[in-house]
Amino acid sequence: MTEPTTRQRIRFYQTGTHTVGNRLLDETKRTVQASMARANAITSGHRACQGCGEALGARYALDSVMRATDGQMVAINATGCLEVFTTPYPETSWQIPWLHSLFGNAPAVATGVAAALRVKGRDGVRVIAQGGDGGTTDIGFGCLSGMFERNDDVLYICYDNEGYMNTGVQRSSATPPTARTATTPALGEQPGNVFGTGKNLPLIAMAHNIPYVATASVADLHDLEAKVSKAMSFRGARYIHIMVPCPLGWGSAADATIRIARMAVESGFFPLFEAEYGEITASNKIRRRVPVSEYLKLQRRFAHLFKKGPDGEEDTEGLDRLQKMADANIARFNLLDDGIAQGTS
Amino acid sequence: MLKQLEGSQAVAEAVAFCRPEVVCAYPITPQTHIVEGVGALVKAGTLENCEYINVESEFAALSVAIGASAAGARAYTATASQGLLFMAEAVYNAAGLGLPIVMTIGNRAIGAPINIWNDHTDSMSMKDSGWIQLFAENNQEAVDLHIQAFRLAEELSCPVMVCMDGFILTHAYERIDVPAQEEVDAFLPPFEPVQVLDPVEPYSIGAMVGPDAFTEVRYLAHDKQLQALRLIPEIAEVFKDVFGRESGGLLHPYRTEDAETVVIALGSVNGTIKEVIDQMRDDGAAIGSLSICSFRPFPYQAIAAALAGAKRVVVIEKSLAPGHGGMVASDVRMALGQKDIPVYTAIAGLGGRPITAASLMEVFTAAAEDRLPDMQFLDLDYAAVEHEIARARATRRSGPTAENVLRQLSPRHPAAKI
Ligand SMILES: Cc1ncc(C[n+]2csc(CCOP(=O)(O)OP(=O)(O)O)c2C)c(N)n1
Ligand code: SF4
Ligand SMILES: [Mg+2]
């Protein structure tokens, strides 16, 4: 397990992925992906779009689980892009035992697998479940909450691309306000998704008092790996919510995925933090704060925020409100100073 | 060992003898006593090596069973009515994945209007899901069918529903020959899965299948059911060898030799039907009955053979397909093929309405004289429905139908009988 202090002490400024600094680390703390022995849980050849954040996030997350469990793992997948692009019959990208059942039941199926392994005395084999934001925050929410509440021995990973991408980019309860989706078009008085809606699943997960909750981003893959590894050091229900930009759904360049993810973190729009048993234990500090517009302007789903009105003036109300959301995150999760103890035990 | 037991308790004990490794529980009347019973056996340590999971919904109950079964554990759950509908997506999924889960259905009507009493609408809603559906005639058979169901499911790698009438069986205290653990162990080998999630041999289960192979995969699901047609009687034979009694099989014919009128039904109503047949036989009528134990797969050939000498068929049907009629009757007609004899349908016992021997006697007598309409509703209050139809025609805002009928039929509201 990586100590959180290694994430904080060494500043990886060199590249967007922050992985170049890897060689500065102790051998055991180096990134999983840099290892010759990495598992390649998802091999190449899948059908994800170019620049897909979900494909990237899933590979890093699962390879970390593979390392943490010495390959003794089973994965349950909800319906969604990740499921579809990895298993076009008769091919599969998965190098691990993997089961897809339905869109809304991955947490419950994982509970069943964990129960079976326990009863067979094989609980050295660990179980993860994974799904998109729609599968997690909406249709699978009941099963997820049940799995949390029973504290079943499952790590659930949500790949949050802020919409139902596999069905053609519709709004989910993880879609941010003002974002244009196929069901929240950029039309009318309040273009895009409306303010005052949506839910924060990491906080809801924390309210179940489960052993471990974390948010992560493909902008900081070393941090993502460390959090997944840490999650695997606990028994019981664990939740990791990973922000994964979707070039197709967000209207962004395929080569901008990491940059966009980083802007989300550095603007405070997507806070990175960890919690144990319902209490926040650490948050990742913003390194170079940027206004939220830096994040939004890279994506066509927010293009209407930057359009000039008929009077030639930019209506900044939407932007201002989104900036307020980011500011509130910065205050709430203490993203700027070191008010919250950085290290965890 | 003979015991006086509630049907649900007897089934709980039978299930426990089958050594399930994962049991998922969610309450719904009239099935609840079964999962409560299994839970008590787990808590007391009588049933060892079993994970008993209190889930948050029926959808989760079956999903947990899916995961458990895919990881190689013997998995069991039970439900009824709204619960079965709530898990519908997982019902199809379990069959599609070929997972040998056993599930009890304590048969109950489906709302609206909400109704907790017995009929077969719940099981019928899933008749084409790819599960094998076995219907128990009495509690002894319910016990025996569960033991057979695990063996059948695991031999085929196909899920099995054991359907038993809510309240009429689940809550009835009857004398049951409860099997011994050694007998069940002799009959039911340990579960040897055909596919299992295991890092030792990792593979992907539940991949997307396109038009290039989907038909073939579905054909194989059909073929599994056809194999079950052969296996169900075989397993019933082995069961007889071990336990010394007949139970299960495809059909139970009763006094069908030289019968001109044959009554067909599923489940517990066959008990009443047999009594009526005995009376009518005493009066010289050539009548018999067929209790269908295996509704899915539907035993077309066995039914055709059993009806070879029949001049007419009466299907007593505990569910209604609105706009269609009776689903069992449709299947029976298909079994008859070119044989052109009347198949009368009587929709009966909906939402727990008692099916009385007197009413059945009337129907069978009329049938024997070919005086029956193709389809009828047993003991329907025609005045009440006609009144409601007229009222709804006369008033646009006629209000909720169910409540109006209820008020009309309530003796406490005579004023409503306008
Ligand atoms: C019960 C059910 N409803 C709807 C669908 C259609 N569906 C499949 S994937 C999907 C979207 C998935 O969105 P998300 O979970 O966010 O994953 P993403 O594709 O964005 O990664 C939808 C709506 C389905 N398969 N099952
Ligand atoms: S639509 Fe988005 S999430 Fe789906 S494969 Fe393409 S980039 Fe990835
Ligand atoms: Mg999504």
Side-chain angles (χ1 to χ4, degrees), chain A residues 6 13 29 97 108 114 117 141 203 217 223 226 244 254 268 298 300 320 327 330 345:
Chain A
T6 56
Y13 284 113
K29 298 195 168 118
L117 291 168
F141 183 65
L203 294 181
S217 163
D223 179 67
V244 290
L298 296 168
R300 277 204 306 283
D320 295 344
D327 295 345
I330 288 171
S345 53

Side-chain angles (χ1 to χ4, degrees), chain B residues 212-246:
Chain B
D212 41 355
F214 198 76
T215 307
E216 285 68 23
V217 175
R218 295 311 296 154
Y219 173 87
L220 292 170
H222 181 57
D223 185 65
K224 235 178 221 184
Q225 294 267 335
L226 300 185
Q227 291 177 47
L229 278 179
R230 174 181 52 75
L231 255 178
I232 290 167
E234 276 178 27
I235 286 176
E237 274 302 308
V238 181
F239 185 89
K240 193 176 152 195
D241 289 343
V242 176
F243 297 86
R245 61 176 172 273
E246 293 204 32

Side-chain angles (χ1 to χ4, degrees), chain A residues 48-49 52 54 81 85 161 165 246-248:
Chain A
C49 309
C52 174
E54 190 163 281
C81 268
F85 72 61
N161 51 25
M165 298 320 180
C246 163
L248 182 127

Side-chain angles (χ1 to χ4, degrees), chain B residues 131-349:
Chain B
W131 285 59
I132 288 166
Q133 287 190 331
L134 307 176
F135 281 79
E137 228 182 280
N138 51 47
N139 281 338
Q140 183 68 60
E141 192 169 46
V143 163
D144 297 348
L145 284 180
H146 279 87
I147 300 165
Q148 297 186 29
F150 280 102
R151 177 155 169 175
L152 177 64
E154 289 168 12
E155 230 166 290
L156 282 174
S157 212
C158 179
V160 178
M161 258 178 227
V162 180
C163 310
M164 60 190 291
D165 284 314
F167 293 110
I168 300 169
L169 294 184
T170 54
H171 288 56
Y173 281 74
E174 283 184 345
R175 197 182 67 159
I176 311 271
D177 191 348
V178 179
Q181 182 68 65
E182 309 78 63
E183 289 175 311
V184 179
D185 288 343
F187 174 79
L188 182 64
F191 174 33
E192 213 22 92
V194 300
Q195 54 182 354
V196 63
L197 290 165
D198 189 348
V200 175
E201 196 192 341
Y203 39 62
S204 305
I205 305 175
M208 180 140 196
V209 174
D212 41 355
F214 198 76
T215 307
E216 285 68 23
V217 175
R218 295 311 296 154
Y219 173 87
L220 292 170
H222 181 57
D223 185 65
K224 235 178 221 184
Q225 294 267 335
L226 300 185
Q227 291 177 47
L229 278 179
R230 174 181 52 75
L231 255 178
I232 290 167
E234 276 178 27
I235 286 176
E237 274 302 308
V238 181
F239 185 89
K240 193 176 152 195
D241 289 343
V242 176
F243 297 86
R245 61 176 172 273
E246 293 204 32
S247 253
L250 299 172
L251 299 172
H252 305 306
Y254 185 72
R255 302 187 81 167
T256 46
E257 67 294 347
D258 76 345
E260 294 182 354
T261 305
V262 175
V263 181
I264 295 184
L266 311 179
S268 65
V269 70
N270 280 291
T272 320
I273 291 171
K274 284 179 193 169
E275 272 178 38
V276 176
I277 284 172
D278 285 344
Q279 284 180 44
M280 291 177 71
R281 279 274 179 186
D282 288 349
D283 295 340
I287 186 166
S289 72
L290 273 186
S291 159
I292 297 180
C293 180
S294 165
F295 183 61
R296 284 293 180 273
F298 195 74
Y300 288 102
Q301 284 179 2
I303 288 180
L307 294 178
K311 295 205 169 123
R312 65 192 66 80
V313 179
V314 183
V315 181
I316 303 296
E317 186 104 53
K318 279 196 180 181
S319 65
L320 168 72
H324 167 76
M327 287 167 274
V328 183
S330 295
D331 290 358
V332 168
R333 273 206 188 84
M334 199 162 148
L336 286 168
Q338 301 299 317
K339 187 176 159 79
D340 191 13
I341 57 170
V343 176
Y344 303 112
T345 311
I347 306 286

Side-chain angles (χ1 to χ4, degrees), chain A residues 54 81 131-135 159-166 170 172 244:
Chain A
E54 190 163 281
C81 268
D133 50 291
Y159 302 103
D160 182 7
N161 51 25
E162 303 184 340
Y164 291 98
M165 298 320 180
N166 188 53
Q170 293 83 20
S172 78
V244 290

Side-chain angles (χ1 to χ4, degrees), chain A residues 231-254:
Chain A
M232 295 314 293
S233 72
F234 292 88
R235 287 281 176 170
R238 290 140 292 147
Y239 180 73
I240 298 186
H241 190 106
I242 306 178
M243 187 199 226
V244 290
C246 163
L248 182 127
W250 294 12
S252 54

